[in-house]
Amino acid sequence: MRVNHYAAIGAAVVATIALSSGSLAGQAPAAPAAPANPVHNHIGHVMTMWKDTPGTQGFLPVAIADAKVAATHAGYMQKSPDNLDSIKLHAGHVLHALDPSIEMKGPGSGYGVKRAAAGASQHIQLAAKTEGASKGVVTHAGHVTASLADVTQWTDAAIATAQKIRAATTAAEAAPLVAELITQTNNIANGVDANKDGSIGWQTGEGGLAQANQHMMLMMKGEGL
C-alpha cells in the first residue's frame, strides 16, 4: 500500500509539471526591459539621485536645501548686531552650508551649495550633449546652466564675505559685511531682478537656484518625467 501511495504522488507531480510546461509553452516570451535613456539618467542625477549626496538626493535639491541654511544663518546675524561672537558663529554656519571644505562643522548637509551646484551644472550639460537629447532638453539646459553659473559666482563671493566677517575685530566693522552677505545668500537661493523689469529670469546675472529648479521642472514635464 505504501508503494502505491508514493506512486500516486509521483504521478500527480509529473502531471502537474507537464501541465505547467504546457501552459508556459503557450505563452509569448517576456519582452526585454527597455534600455535606459542616458539623457534622462543625467536629468535624474540633477533632480532625484546621485551616489554620494546626502540621502542620495539629486544635486539640485541638495544645493537648494543648503542655500536655505546659508540664507537663514546670514539673517540670524542681524538679530544680535552688537554681538561679534554671535555674528562670527553664524558666519561659520553660512560657510559650512556653502562650502564645508572650508568650515567642516555646521547646520548644513555637509555637501555644500558650491559642490552641489557644480554637480548639477555638469550633469545638465551632459544631458544636453548626449545623442538623442530633445530640443526642449537642450533649450532648458542652457537656461539652467546660466542660472547655475550665477549661483557659483555668488557662492564664491559669499564665501569671501563670510571669511571677512570672521576676520572682523568689531561688530561695527562686520555690519556692512553682514548686509552684503544677506544679499548674496538671498541671490543664490532666489535670483535677483538685475534689470529691474519686475521679474527674475534665468539670464546671466539674474538666475539663482529657484530659476534653475523652475527650468528643470519645465524640462522634466516636456520629457514626461
Side-chain angles (χ1 to χ4, degrees), residues 50-142:
W50 182 246
K51 56 190 176 184
D52 72 349
T53 56
T56 65
Q57 301 173 80
F59 287 114
L60 192 55
V62 173
I64 290 170
D66 276 337
K68 182 177 180 180
V69 172
T72 298
H73 284 270
Y76 285 162
M77 294 181 193
Q78 288 188 322
K79 292 188 174 183
S80 303
D82 299 322
N83 187 331
L84 184 60
D85 289 339
S86 176
I87 290 170
K88 288 187 175 185
L89 173 67
H90 290 298
H93 292 167
V94 172
L95 279 172
H96 174 74
L98 297 178
D99 187 353
S101 71
I102 297 174
E103 176 54 64
M104 295 181 65
K105 295 182 179 180
S109 73
Y111 205 81
V113 173
K114 184 170 183 175
R115 185 179 176 191
S121 181
Q122 177 187 10
H123 281 273
I124 201 55
Q125 289 181 66
L126 287 171
K129 293 174 182 177
T130 298
E131 184 178 356
S134 69
K135 182 178 179 181
V137 167
V138 173
T139 298
H140 287 298

Side-chain angles (χ1 to χ4, degrees), residues 19 24 27 29 31 47 51 61 72 82 84 95 131 143 146 151 164 176-177 182-183 188 193 195 199 209-210 214-215:
L19 180 61
L24 292 172
Q27 295 176 0
M47 294 299 286
K51 56 190 176 184
T72 298
D82 299 322
L84 184 60
L95 279 172
E131 184 178 356
H143 300 166
V151 168
K164 289 177 183 176
L177 296 169
I182 289 171
T183 297
I188 290 166
D193 182 11
N195 62 7
S199 64
L209 290 171
Q214 176 187 12
H215 285 274

